[in-house]
Amino acid sequence: MNNKGITLITVTVIIIVIIIIATTSIIAGNKLVVRSKEYTEAQIIENVMEAVRRKKSETKMQGTIIPIGITFPGKANPTIGDGTVIAEGWYQLDEPELRELGVTETNERVLVNYEYEEVLPMRDPTYFEKYEVSKLLHDVKDYESGDSPDYVGTPLKNFSATDGKMYVNTETNEAFGDGWYYVEPSDLTGRYAGYAEYIKYPYVVNYETGKYKNADGFELQNK
């Protein structure tokens, strides 16, 4: 006689399949949430950056089409890090200053430099190190100004060069060549030795553009 009932094995298989589907859905959902959060944070930073650029442009037009006397919003030269470092030339923006700049989608505290067009969310645990890297870039560029600047770090090249040498992010395939330098903490010697106290990771930097990126997870690729 045929057994038309559901066996224990069948029930077990069904439960396992349901668990697998549920687990896959949760993992996929978590990844989507993380990516969405990262996109939102990146968009907020870009919005603040755009507001900083606008305010910078306004101050440059003072005395022409805009009245003289406009100042940058924020607390100038704030104390940051462990409370002993004065960020000269930088501004701390809280919610009122962000609203003054027209940024309404966040109330997070940010550190900005209007001249450098740099925006650092202060809840980011690496913001202080990024501040030091940004300061280093402009310090080196100002000091090494000339026809043949001796920039800190290893100069990189595109693969098109005979001895092409690039640093590549193995996860995103971002490549950094011409105009970029690979800077390790051990490169920070002499007049730049003080930065080694705060910069603990390698970075790829561009002194001409003021751009930089943490080089953790990058690898050197030769042509």
mmCIF file of all heavy atoms in Angstrom, residues 99-145:
data_model
loop_
_atom_site.group_PDB
_atom_site.id
_atom_site.type_symbol
_atom_site.label_atom_id
_atom_site.label_comp_id
_atom_site.label_asym_id
_atom_site.label_seq_id
_atom_site.Cartn_x
_atom_site.Cartn_y
_atom_site.Cartn_z
ATOM 1 N N ARG A 99 22.834 73.943 8.479
ATOM 2 C CA ARG A 99 21.602 74.536 7.963
ATOM 3 C C ARG A 99 21.905 75.864 7.260
ATOM 4 O O ARG A 99 21.304 76.188 6.240
ATOM 5 C CB ARG A 99 20.606 74.778 9.118
ATOM 6 C CG ARG A 99 20.158 73.520 9.832
ATOM 7 C CD ARG A 99 19.333 72.621 8.914
ATOM 8 N NE ARG A 99 18.896 71.404 9.600
ATOM 9 C CZ ARG A 99 19.582 70.270 9.605
ATOM 10 N NH1 ARG A 99 20.748 70.198 8.973
ATOM 11 N NH2 ARG A 99 19.118 69.196 10.226
ATOM 12 N N GLU A 100 22.841 76.609 7.814
ATOM 13 C CA GLU A 100 23.220 77.884 7.190
ATOM 14 C C GLU A 100 23.793 77.668 5.788
ATOM 15 O O GLU A 100 23.607 78.498 4.889
ATOM 16 C CB GLU A 100 24.251 78.591 8.070
ATOM 17 C CG GLU A 100 24.648 79.976 7.577
ATOM 18 C CD GLU A 100 25.652 80.654 8.488
ATOM 19 O OE1 GLU A 100 25.805 80.216 9.644
ATOM 20 O OE2 GLU A 100 26.288 81.625 8.033
ATOM 21 N N LEU A 101 24.460 76.530 5.611
ATOM 22 C CA LEU A 101 25.020 76.196 4.297
ATOM 23 C C LEU A 101 23.991 75.562 3.373
ATOM 24 O O LEU A 101 24.277 75.300 2.207
ATOM 25 C CB LEU A 101 26.203 75.244 4.466
ATOM 26 C CG LEU A 101 27.502 75.850 5.004
ATOM 27 C CD1 LEU A 101 28.519 74.746 5.301
ATOM 28 C CD2 LEU A 101 28.078 76.850 4.022
ATOM 29 N N GLY A 102 22.803 75.285 3.916
ATOM 30 C CA GLY A 102 21.750 74.681 3.100
ATOM 31 C C GLY A 102 21.720 73.178 3.142
ATOM 32 O O GLY A 102 21.030 72.541 2.346
ATOM 33 N N VAL A 103 22.467 72.583 4.075
ATOM 34 C CA VAL A 103 22.487 71.118 4.207
ATOM 35 C C VAL A 103 21.508 70.720 5.307
ATOM 36 O O VAL A 103 21.716 71.029 6.474
ATOM 37 C CB VAL A 103 23.902 70.616 4.554
ATOM 38 C CG1 VAL A 103 23.908 69.098 4.722
ATOM 39 C CG2 VAL A 103 24.899 71.047 3.486
ATOM 40 N N THR A 104 20.442 70.033 4.936
ATOM 41 C CA THR A 104 19.371 69.721 5.889
ATOM 42 C C THR A 104 19.213 68.223 6.170
ATOM 43 O O THR A 104 18.463 67.844 7.048
ATOM 44 C CB THR A 104 18.031 70.252 5.362
ATOM 45 O OG1 THR A 104 17.751 69.647 4.085
ATOM 46 C CG2 THR A 104 18.082 71.772 5.193
ATOM 47 N N GLU A 105 19.928 67.375 5.412
ATOM 48 C CA GLU A 105 19.697 65.939 5.550
ATOM 49 C C GLU A 105 20.556 65.278 6.620
ATOM 50 O O GLU A 105 20.488 64.066 6.806
ATOM 51 C CB GLU A 105 19.920 65.220 4.210
ATOM 52 C CG GLU A 105 21.328 65.310 3.647
ATOM 53 C CD GLU A 105 21.510 66.519 2.752
ATOM 54 O OE1 GLU A 105 20.924 67.577 3.032
ATOM 55 O OE2 GLU A 105 22.230 66.405 1.755
ATOM 56 N N THR A 106 21.371 66.051 7.318
ATOM 57 C CA THR A 106 22.171 65.484 8.402
ATOM 58 C C THR A 106 22.409 66.540 9.472
ATOM 59 O O THR A 106 22.382 67.739 9.196
ATOM 60 C CB THR A 106 23.532 64.985 7.867
ATOM 61 O OG1 THR A 106 24.260 64.381 8.947
ATOM 62 C CG2 THR A 106 24.364 66.118 7.300
ATOM 63 N N ASN A 107 22.623 66.078 10.696
ATOM 64 C CA ASN A 107 22.972 66.988 11.781
ATOM 65 C C ASN A 107 24.282 66.552 12.437
ATOM 66 O O ASN A 107 24.586 66.926 13.559
ATOM 67 C CB ASN A 107 21.859 67.052 12.831
ATOM 68 C CG ASN A 107 21.539 65.675 13.407
ATOM 69 O OD1 ASN A 107 22.188 64.682 13.067
ATOM 70 N ND2 ASN A 107 20.545 65.603 14.276
ATOM 71 N N GLU A 108 25.042 65.728 11.704
ATOM 72 C CA GLU A 108 26.300 65.229 12.232
ATOM 73 C C GLU A 108 27.384 66.305 12.178
ATOM 74 O O GLU A 108 27.440 67.101 11.234
ATOM 75 C CB GLU A 108 26.756 63.995 11.441
ATOM 76 C CG GLU A 108 25.870 62.789 11.643
ATOM 77 C CD GLU A 108 26.413 61.567 10.923
ATOM 78 O OE1 GLU A 108 27.570 61.626 10.467
ATOM 79 O OE2 GLU A 108 25.680 60.583 10.826
ATOM 80 N N ARG A 109 28.232 66.305 13.160
ATOM 81 C CA ARG A 109 29.334 67.266 13.223
ATOM 82 C C ARG A 109 30.384 66.924 12.166
ATOM 83 O O ARG A 109 30.765 65.767 12.008
ATOM 84 C CB ARG A 109 29.952 67.235 14.617
ATOM 85 C CG ARG A 109 31.143 68.146 14.830
ATOM 86 C CD ARG A 109 31.551 68.140 16.290
ATOM 87 N NE ARG A 109 30.487 68.706 17.112
ATOM 88 C CZ ARG A 109 30.496 68.690 18.440
ATOM 89 N NH1 ARG A 109 31.496 68.116 19.082
ATOM 90 N NH2 ARG A 109 29.505 69.231 19.130
ATOM 91 N N VAL A 110 30.838 67.935 11.435
ATOM 92 C CA VAL A 110 31.860 67.714 10.417
ATOM 93 C C VAL A 110 32.980 68.734 10.568
ATOM 94 O O VAL A 110 32.778 69.847 11.071
ATOM 95 C CB VAL A 110 31.282 67.794 8.986
ATOM 96 C CG1 VAL A 110 30.292 66.682 8.731
ATOM 97 C CG2 VAL A 110 30.632 69.144 8.735
ATOM 98 N N LEU A 111 34.156 68.346 10.138
ATOM 99 C CA LEU A 111 35.319 69.224 10.107
ATOM 100 C C LEU A 111 35.588 69.564 8.650
ATOM 101 O O LEU A 111 35.691 68.659 7.810
ATOM 102 C CB LEU A 111 36.532 68.507 10.717
ATOM 103 C CG LEU A 111 37.820 69.313 10.854
ATOM 104 C CD1 LEU A 111 37.660 70.399 11.917
ATOM 105 C CD2 LEU A 111 38.986 68.389 11.226
ATOM 106 N N VAL A 112 35.666 70.849 8.331
ATOM 107 C CA VAL A 112 35.854 71.231 6.929
ATOM 108 C C VAL A 112 36.990 72.238 6.793
ATOM 109 O O VAL A 112 37.324 72.973 7.726
ATOM 110 C CB VAL A 112 34.568 71.840 6.324
ATOM 111 C CG1 VAL A 112 33.386 70.897 6.477
ATOM 112 C CG2 VAL A 112 34.262 73.200 6.916
ATOM 113 N N ASN A 113 37.566 72.232 5.608
ATOM 114 C CA ASN A 113 38.544 73.248 5.241
ATOM 115 C C ASN A 113 38.064 73.849 3.925
ATOM 116 O O ASN A 113 38.056 73.173 2.900
ATOM 117 C CB ASN A 113 39.944 72.638 5.085
ATOM 118 C CG ASN A 113 41.012 73.689 4.908
ATOM 119 O OD1 ASN A 113 40.964 74.496 3.974
ATOM 120 N ND2 ASN A 113 41.999 73.694 5.787
ATOM 121 N N TYR A 114 37.623 75.093 3.984
ATOM 122 C CA TYR A 114 37.045 75.723 2.804
ATOM 123 C C TYR A 114 38.080 75.912 1.700
ATOM 124 O O TYR A 114 37.754 75.809 0.514
ATOM 125 C CB TYR A 114 36.433 77.076 3.182
ATOM 126 C CG TYR A 114 35.202 76.962 4.053
ATOM 127 C CD1 TYR A 114 35.292 77.018 5.435
ATOM 128 C CD2 TYR A 114 33.942 76.779 3.488
ATOM 129 C CE1 TYR A 114 34.162 76.902 6.241
ATOM 130 C CE2 TYR A 114 32.801 76.670 4.278
ATOM 131 C CZ TYR A 114 32.920 76.733 5.657
ATOM 132 O OH TYR A 114 31.806 76.613 6.444
ATOM 133 N N GLU A 115 39.305 76.197 2.084
ATOM 134 C CA GLU A 115 40.355 76.418 1.088
ATOM 135 C C GLU A 115 40.709 75.118 0.369
ATOM 136 O O GLU A 115 40.853 75.082 -0.846
ATOM 137 C CB GLU A 115 41.603 77.009 1.749
ATOM 138 C CG GLU A 115 42.718 77.350 0.775
ATOM 139 C CD GLU A 115 42.298 78.375 -0.267
ATOM 140 O OE1 GLU A 115 41.462 79.243 0.045
ATOM 141 O OE2 GLU A 115 42.805 78.289 -1.412
ATOM 142 N N TYR A 116 40.850 74.043 1.133
ATOM 143 C CA TYR A 116 41.196 72.747 0.549
ATOM 144 C C TYR A 116 39.985 72.031 -0.050
ATOM 145 O O TYR A 116 40.137 71.038 -0.756
ATOM 146 C CB TYR A 116 41.806 71.822 1.608
ATOM 147 C CG TYR A 116 43.055 72.318 2.278
ATOM 148 C CD1 TYR A 116 43.498 71.734 3.469
ATOM 149 C CD2 TYR A 116 43.802 73.369 1.748
ATOM 150 C CE1 TYR A 116 44.647 72.178 4.101
ATOM 151 C CE2 TYR A 116 44.950 73.818 2.381
ATOM 152 C CZ TYR A 116 45.360 73.228 3.558
ATOM 153 O OH TYR A 116 46.498 73.654 4.197
ATOM 154 N N GLU A 117 38.772 72.511 0.288
ATOM 155 C CA GLU A 117 37.522 71.839 -0.106
ATOM 156 C C GLU A 117 37.513 70.408 0.436
ATOM 157 O O GLU A 117 37.252 69.445 -0.272
ATOM 158 C CB GLU A 117 37.340 71.861 -1.616
ATOM 159 C CG GLU A 117 37.200 73.262 -2.189
ATOM 160 C CD GLU A 117 36.971 73.291 -3.690
ATOM 161 O OE1 GLU A 117 36.853 72.198 -4.283
ATOM 162 O OE2 GLU A 117 36.899 74.387 -4.257
ATOM 163 N N GLU A 118 37.796 70.307 1.724
ATOM 164 C CA GLU A 118 37.874 69.021 2.414
ATOM 165 C C GLU A 118 36.753 68.921 3.434
ATOM 166 O O GLU A 118 36.483 69.871 4.175
ATOM 167 C CB GLU A 118 39.222 68.912 3.118
ATOM 168 C CG GLU A 118 39.459 67.618 3.838
ATOM 169 C CD GLU A 118 40.003 66.528 2.926
ATOM 170 O OE1 GLU A 118 41.065 66.730 2.326
ATOM 171 O OE2 GLU A 118 39.342 65.478 2.833
ATOM 172 N N VAL A 119 36.087 67.762 3.473
ATOM 173 C CA VAL A 119 35.001 67.517 4.423
ATOM 174 C C VAL A 119 35.262 66.200 5.141
ATOM 175 O O VAL A 119 35.402 65.154 4.508
ATOM 176 C CB VAL A 119 33.642 67.447 3.697
ATOM 177 C CG1 VAL A 119 32.539 67.082 4.683
ATOM 178 C CG2 VAL A 119 33.328 68.766 3.011
ATOM 179 N N LEU A 120 35.335 66.251 6.484
ATOM 180 C CA LEU A 120 35.601 65.052 7.275
ATOM 181 C C LEU A 120 34.523 64.883 8.349
ATOM 182 O O LEU A 120 34.463 65.669 9.291
ATOM 183 C CB LEU A 120 36.968 65.159 7.954
ATOM 184 C CG LEU A 120 38.188 65.334 7.046
ATOM 185 C CD1 LEU A 120 39.436 65.550 7.878
ATOM 186 C CD2 LEU A 120 38.353 64.140 6.120
ATOM 187 N N PRO A 121 33.648 63.875 8.208
ATOM 188 C CA PRO A 121 32.665 63.605 9.267
ATOM 189 C C PRO A 121 33.385 63.216 10.555
ATOM 190 O O PRO A 121 34.184 62.270 10.567
ATOM 191 C CB PRO A 121 31.859 62.425 8.705
ATOM 192 C CG PRO A 121 32.123 62.436 7.232
ATOM 193 C CD PRO A 121 33.503 62.963 7.070
ATOM 194 N N MET A 122 33.109 63.905 11.653
ATOM 195 C CA MET A 122 33.873 63.696 12.876
ATOM 196 C C MET A 122 33.461 62.448 13.648
ATOM 197 O O MET A 122 34.136 62.068 14.612
ATOM 198 C CB MET A 122 33.782 64.947 13.760
ATOM 199 C CG MET A 122 34.424 66.163 13.109
ATOM 200 S SD MET A 122 34.386 67.671 14.118
ATOM 201 C CE MET A 122 35.639 67.271 15.356
ATOM 202 N N ARG A 123 32.400 61.785 13.238
ATOM 203 C CA ARG A 123 32.048 60.516 13.886
ATOM 204 C C ARG A 123 32.840 59.360 13.267
ATOM 205 O O ARG A 123 32.863 58.253 13.795
ATOM 206 C CB ARG A 123 30.548 60.257 13.788
ATOM 207 C CG ARG A 123 30.057 59.849 12.421
ATOM 208 C CD ARG A 123 28.577 59.506 12.471
ATOM 209 N NE ARG A 123 28.080 59.037 11.190
ATOM 210 C CZ ARG A 123 28.180 57.787 10.766
ATOM 211 N NH1 ARG A 123 28.769 56.878 11.516
ATOM 212 N NH2 ARG A 123 27.699 57.436 9.591
ATOM 213 N N ASP A 124 33.487 59.627 12.116
ATOM 214 C CA ASP A 124 34.350 58.631 11.483
ATOM 215 C C ASP A 124 35.589 58.456 12.367
ATOM 216 O O ASP A 124 36.316 59.419 12.616
ATOM 217 C CB ASP A 124 34.757 59.131 10.090
ATOM 218 C CG ASP A 124 35.704 58.166 9.381
ATOM 219 O OD1 ASP A 124 36.124 57.170 9.993
ATOM 220 O OD2 ASP A 124 36.011 58.422 8.202
ATOM 221 N N PRO A 125 35.847 57.252 12.875
ATOM 222 C CA PRO A 125 36.982 57.062 13.781
ATOM 223 C C PRO A 125 38.336 57.374 13.152
ATOM 224 O O PRO A 125 39.321 57.546 13.868
ATOM 225 C CB PRO A 125 36.876 55.577 14.175
ATOM 226 C CG PRO A 125 36.045 54.945 13.106
ATOM 227 C CD PRO A 125 35.095 56.002 12.636
ATOM 228 N N THR A 126 38.380 57.474 11.812
ATOM 229 C CA THR A 126 39.650 57.766 11.132
ATOM 230 C C THR A 126 39.751 59.234 10.708
ATOM 231 O O THR A 126 40.685 59.599 10.004
ATOM 232 C CB THR A 126 39.828 56.881 9.894
ATOM 233 O OG1 THR A 126 38.829 57.222 8.905
ATOM 234 C CG2 THR A 126 39.689 55.404 10.247
ATOM 235 N N TYR A 127 38.802 60.067 11.147
ATOM 236 C CA TYR A 127 38.789 61.444 10.648
ATOM 237 C C TYR A 127 40.062 62.203 11.016
ATOM 238 O O TYR A 127 40.568 63.010 10.228
ATOM 239 C CB TYR A 127 37.550 62.199 11.170
ATOM 240 C CG TYR A 127 37.762 62.961 12.462
ATOM 241 C CD1 TYR A 127 38.205 64.285 12.460
ATOM 242 C CD2 TYR A 127 37.550 62.356 13.698
ATOM 243 C CE1 TYR A 127 38.409 64.973 13.645
ATOM 244 C CE2 TYR A 127 37.755 63.034 14.881
ATOM 245 C CZ TYR A 127 38.185 64.355 14.854
ATOM 246 O OH TYR A 127 38.404 65.031 16.018
ATOM 247 N N PHE A 128 40.599 61.942 12.227
ATOM 248 C CA PHE A 128 41.779 62.692 12.660
ATOM 249 C C PHE A 128 43.000 62.323 11.819
ATOM 250 O O PHE A 128 43.813 63.175 11.460
ATOM 251 C CB PHE A 128 42.059 62.444 14.139
ATOM 252 C CG PHE A 128 43.191 63.271 14.674
ATOM 253 C CD1 PHE A 128 43.011 64.618 14.941
ATOM 254 C CD2 PHE A 128 44.436 62.717 14.888
ATOM 255 C CE1 PHE A 128 44.053 65.406 15.418
ATOM 256 C CE2 PHE A 128 45.487 63.482 15.371
ATOM 257 C CZ PHE A 128 45.294 64.836 15.628
ATOM 258 N N GLU A 129 43.127 61.039 11.499
ATOM 259 C CA GLU A 129 44.245 60.617 10.645
ATOM 260 C C GLU A 129 44.113 61.232 9.249
ATOM 261 O O GLU A 129 45.107 61.679 8.659
ATOM 262 C CB GLU A 129 44.306 59.097 10.541
ATOM 263 C CG GLU A 129 45.482 58.615 9.701
ATOM 264 C CD GLU A 129 45.712 57.112 9.798
ATOM 265 O OE1 GLU A 129 44.976 56.433 10.549
ATOM 266 O OE2 GLU A 129 46.634 56.625 9.149
ATOM 267 N N LYS A 130 42.888 61.280 8.729
ATOM 268 C CA LYS A 130 42.669 61.886 7.418
ATOM 269 C C LYS A 130 42.988 63.383 7.450
ATOM 270 O O LYS A 130 43.498 63.941 6.474
ATOM 271 C CB LYS A 130 41.222 61.658 6.968
ATOM 272 C CG LYS A 130 40.921 60.200 6.640
ATOM 273 C CD LYS A 130 39.458 59.995 6.306
ATOM 274 C CE LYS A 130 39.174 58.537 6.003
ATOM 275 N NZ LYS A 130 37.720 58.284 5.773
ATOM 276 N N TYR A 131 42.666 64.016 8.571
ATOM 277 C CA TYR A 131 43.015 65.424 8.745
ATOM 278 C C TYR A 131 44.529 65.597 8.652
ATOM 279 O O TYR A 131 45.033 66.518 7.986
ATOM 280 C CB TYR A 131 42.494 65.913 10.096
ATOM 281 C CG TYR A 131 43.229 67.103 10.656
ATOM 282 C CD1 TYR A 131 42.976 68.394 10.201
ATOM 283 C CD2 TYR A 131 44.198 66.934 11.662
ATOM 284 C CE1 TYR A 131 43.662 69.486 10.720
ATOM 285 C CE2 TYR A 131 44.875 68.018 12.184
ATOM 286 C CZ TYR A 131 44.615 69.288 11.713
ATOM 287 O OH TYR A 131 45.305 70.363 12.217
ATOM 288 N N GLU A 132 45.280 64.708 9.309
ATOM 289 C CA GLU A 132 46.736 64.787 9.280
ATOM 290 C C GLU A 132 47.281 64.516 7.874
ATOM 291 O O GLU A 132 48.244 65.163 7.437
ATOM 292 C CB GLU A 132 47.338 63.788 10.276
ATOM 293 C CG GLU A 132 47.138 64.156 11.734
ATOM 294 C CD GLU A 132 47.964 65.372 12.152
ATOM 295 O OE1 GLU A 132 48.977 65.671 11.489
ATOM 296 O OE2 GLU A 132 47.599 66.017 13.151
ATOM 297 N N VAL A 133 46.678 63.571 7.157
ATOM 298 C CA VAL A 133 47.111 63.279 5.788
ATOM 299 C C VAL A 133 46.870 64.487 4.888
ATOM 300 O O VAL A 133 47.737 64.883 4.094
ATOM 301 C CB VAL A 133 46.379 62.042 5.221
ATOM 302 C CG1 VAL A 133 46.719 61.845 3.747
ATOM 303 C CG2 VAL A 133 46.741 60.792 6.009
ATOM 304 N N SER A 134 45.692 65.092 5.011
ATOM 305 C CA SER A 134 45.374 66.281 4.213
ATOM 306 C C SER A 134 46.353 67.413 4.518
ATOM 307 O O SER A 134 46.850 68.094 3.614
ATOM 308 C CB SER A 134 43.940 66.734 4.498
ATOM 309 O OG SER A 134 43.618 67.887 3.756
ATOM 310 N N LYS A 135 46.658 67.595 5.792
ATOM 311 C CA LYS A 135 47.596 68.640 6.197
ATOM 312 C C LYS A 135 48.995 68.347 5.650
ATOM 313 O O LYS A 135 49.699 69.252 5.190
ATOM 314 C CB LYS A 135 47.619 68.737 7.724
ATOM 315 C CG LYS A 135 48.321 69.983 8.244
ATOM 316 C CD LYS A 135 48.157 70.139 9.746
ATOM 317 C CE LYS A 135 48.887 69.052 10.501
ATOM 318 N NZ LYS A 135 49.019 69.338 11.943
ATOM 319 N N LEU A 136 49.392 67.068 5.687
ATOM 320 C CA LEU A 136 50.693 66.664 5.160
ATOM 321 C C LEU A 136 50.815 67.000 3.680
ATOM 322 O O LEU A 136 51.834 67.547 3.236
ATOM 323 C CB LEU A 136 50.897 65.165 5.369
ATOM 324 C CG LEU A 136 52.108 64.548 4.650
ATOM 325 C CD1 LEU A 136 53.405 65.041 5.273
ATOM 326 C CD2 LEU A 136 52.037 63.017 4.679
ATOM 327 N N LEU A 137 49.778 66.678 2.908
ATOM 328 C CA LEU A 137 49.811 66.927 1.462
ATOM 329 C C LEU A 137 50.104 68.389 1.158
ATOM 330 O O LEU A 137 50.959 68.709 0.318
ATOM 331 C CB LEU A 137 48.476 66.520 0.833
ATOM 332 C CG LEU A 137 48.416 65.142 0.168
ATOM 333 C CD1 LEU A 137 48.689 64.055 1.193
ATOM 334 C CD2 LEU A 137 47.066 64.922 -0.491
ATOM 335 N N HIS A 138 49.409 69.282 1.828
ATOM 336 C CA HIS A 138 49.575 70.711 1.556
ATOM 337 C C HIS A 138 50.885 71.238 2.135
ATOM 338 O O HIS A 138 51.496 72.143 1.549
ATOM 339 C CB HIS A 138 48.372 71.479 2.102
ATOM 340 C CG HIS A 138 47.102 71.175 1.367
ATOM 341 N ND1 HIS A 138 46.295 70.124 1.712
ATOM 342 C CD2 HIS A 138 46.536 71.749 0.280
ATOM 343 C CE1 HIS A 138 45.262 70.078 0.886
ATOM 344 N NE2 HIS A 138 45.383 71.043 0.010
ATOM 345 N N ASP A 139 51.325 70.661 3.230
ATOM 346 C CA ASP A 139 52.604 71.038 3.818
ATOM 347 C C ASP A 139 53.738 70.690 2.852
ATOM 348 O O ASP A 139 54.626 71.513 2.574
ATOM 349 C CB ASP A 139 52.793 70.308 5.153
ATOM 350 C CG ASP A 139 54.033 70.775 5.914
ATOM 351 O OD1 ASP A 139 54.702 71.712 5.463
ATOM 352 O OD2 ASP A 139 54.314 70.196 6.983
ATOM 353 N N VAL A 140 53.718 69.455 2.342
ATOM 354 C CA VAL A 140 54.761 69.004 1.409
ATOM 355 C C VAL A 140 54.730 69.835 0.129
ATOM 356 O O VAL A 140 55.780 70.280 -0.356
ATOM 357 C CB VAL A 140 54.581 67.508 1.075
ATOM 358 C CG1 VAL A 140 55.537 67.092 -0.044
ATOM 359 C CG2 VAL A 140 54.805 66.651 2.299
ATOM 360 N N LYS A 141 53.545 70.053 -0.409
ATOM 361 C CA LYS A 141 53.447 70.805 -1.664
ATOM 362 C C LYS A 141 53.957 72.232 -1.496
ATOM 363 O O LYS A 141 54.679 72.757 -2.359
ATOM 364 C CB LYS A 141 52.003 70.827 -2.154
ATOM 365 C CG LYS A 141 51.865 71.513 -3.515
ATOM 366 C CD LYS A 141 50.437 71.527 -4.009
ATOM 367 C CE LYS A 141 50.346 72.242 -5.360
ATOM 368 N NZ LYS A 141 48.947 72.320 -5.837
ATOM 369 N N ASP A 142 53.598 72.873 -0.393
ATOM 370 C CA ASP A 142 54.051 74.250 -0.161
ATOM 371 C C ASP A 142 55.569 74.310 0.008
ATOM 372 O O ASP A 142 56.229 75.213 -0.501
ATOM 373 C CB ASP A 142 53.368 74.829 1.082
ATOM 374 C CG ASP A 142 51.888 75.076 0.858
ATOM 375 O OD1 ASP A 142 51.460 75.097 -0.319
ATOM 376 O OD2 ASP A 142 51.154 75.222 1.851
ATOM 377 N N TYR A 143 56.124 73.333 0.716
ATOM 378 C CA TYR A 143 57.561 73.341 0.995
ATOM 379 C C TYR A 143 58.379 72.958 -0.235
ATOM 380 O O TYR A 143 59.469 73.492 -0.456
ATOM 381 C CB TYR A 143 57.878 72.380 2.136
ATOM 382 C CG TYR A 143 59.319 72.427 2.588
ATOM 383 C CD1 TYR A 143 59.776 73.471 3.389
ATOM 384 C CD2 TYR A 143 60.222 71.430 2.211
ATOM 385 C CE1 TYR A 143 61.100 73.527 3.812
ATOM 386 C CE2 TYR A 143 61.547 71.479 2.620
ATOM 387 C CZ TYR A 143 61.971 72.523 3.416
ATOM 388 O OH TYR A 143 63.293 72.574 3.823
ATOM 389 N N GLU A 144 57.852 72.030 -1.024
ATOM 390 C CA GLU A 144 58.578 71.534 -2.187
ATOM 391 C C GLU A 144 58.186 72.263 -3.471
ATOM 392 O O GLU A 144 58.387 71.740 -4.558
ATOM 393 C CB GLU A 144 58.328 70.028 -2.357
ATOM 394 C CG GLU A 144 58.712 69.176 -1.172
ATOM 395 C CD GLU A 144 60.212 69.148 -0.927
ATOM 396 O OE1 GLU A 144 60.968 69.544 -1.831
ATOM 397 O OE2 GLU A 144 60.623 68.729 0.169
ATOM 398 N N SER A 145 57.609 73.441 -3.338
ATOM 399 C CA SER A 145 57.208 74.189 -4.535
ATOM 400 C C SER A 145 58.445 74.528 -5.356
ATOM 401 O O SER A 145 59.472 74.938 -4.831
ATOM 402 C CB SER A 145 56.478 75.476 -4.139
ATOM 403 O OG SER A 145 57.311 76.282 -3.337
#
